[in-house]
Amino acid sequence: GAMSHLPYFCRGEVVKGFGRGSKELGIPTANFSEQVVESFPSDISTGIYYGWACVGNGDVHKMVLSIGWNPFYKNTKKSVETHIIHTFKEDFYGEILSIVIIGYIRPERNFDSLEALISAIQEDIEEAKRQLDLPEHLKLKDYVKDFFNLPEGKIINNH
């Protein structure tokens, strides 16, 4: 289920998503390509997770991540969308996004309105921040930096 695969390391190119995160939700997300999404364990639970993320060779930031079908938007393809808890000055399509998923917040669910969805996401972000400030998760951040700074071509978890 949710925790058996954690921590889960992944890296891949950031591709254009549905364009909803920033525009409709005010919560920009970085999307992985279908190949990266398909490489996730098939039995990993859909839902909301938290962990650490890094774009290119940049700093490591807190992130919250959604794995699933986005029932509110009735997607037919599974997606993995990462919201990095940091303000970037510009888009980073084409950059390599490295993530480590370390915890699970809640299962995926549908919402009656866009407002309800946005408020749930805001709560998820607050929960991720709280969790990632815990000493055991902060400790992992330093270890994660080593993974993120691996030379290109180094393979972890088959990625």
Side-chain angles (χ1 to χ4, degrees):
M3 301 301 282
S4 60
H5 293 288
L6 303 186
Y8 185 77
F9 292 84
C10 178
R11 68 186 342 163
E13 189 179 336
V14 176
V15 300
K16 275 199 186 305
F18 300 100
R20 294 187 294 235
S22 316
K23 296 176 192 62
E24 282 187 37
L25 304 173
I27 301 159
T29 58
N31 297 271
F32 282 124
S33 70
E34 272 178 53
Q35 293 91 314
V36 175
V37 174
E38 283 164 10
S39 73
F40 270 69
S42 55
D43 62 341
I44 198 167
S45 303
T46 58
I48 311 302
Y49 293 81
Y50 60 86
W52 300 105
C54 173
V55 177
N57 290 322
D59 293 332
V60 177
H61 299 289
K62 295 173 179 174
M63 66 84 171
V64 64
L65 172 109
S66 158
I67 299 176
W69 308 95
N70 296 336
F72 185 77
Y73 289 107
K74 302 182 174 51
N75 284 2
T76 52
K77 276 192 179 345
K78 198 173 188 180
S79 68
V80 174
E81 297 174 74
T82 305
H83 170 69
I84 302 172
I85 304 171
H86 175 76
T87 305
F88 289 91
K89 298 205 179 28
E90 54 217 17
D91 287 338
F92 43 82
Y93 297 120
E95 290 272 7
I96 296 295
L97 171 65
S98 303
I99 63 168
V100 56
I101 305 170
I102 57 178
Y104 181 71
I105 297 178
R106 65 173 174 84
E108 186 172 47
R109 60 174 189 260
N110 202 349
F111 295 93
D112 299 332
S113 66
L114 197 57
E115 292 70 36
L117 172 61
I118 291 170
S119 106
I121 295 171
Q122 297 292 4
E123 284 169 30
D124 296 336
I125 291 170
E126 290 312 309
E127 178 62 18
K129 287 180 183 170
R130 274 194 299 274
Q131 292 291 337
L132 291 162
D133 279 336
L134 296 173
E136 64 268 29
H137 292 145
L138 283 171
K139 202 166 64 204
L140 196 56
K141 181 181 180 181
D142 299 329
Y143 169 69
V144 164
K145 241 183 147 42
D146 297 337
F147 162 70
F148 289 155
N149 293 323
L150 285 175
E152 291 307 316
K154 194 83 166 142
I155 303 290
I156 297 212
N157 290 5
N158 311 323
H159 301 298

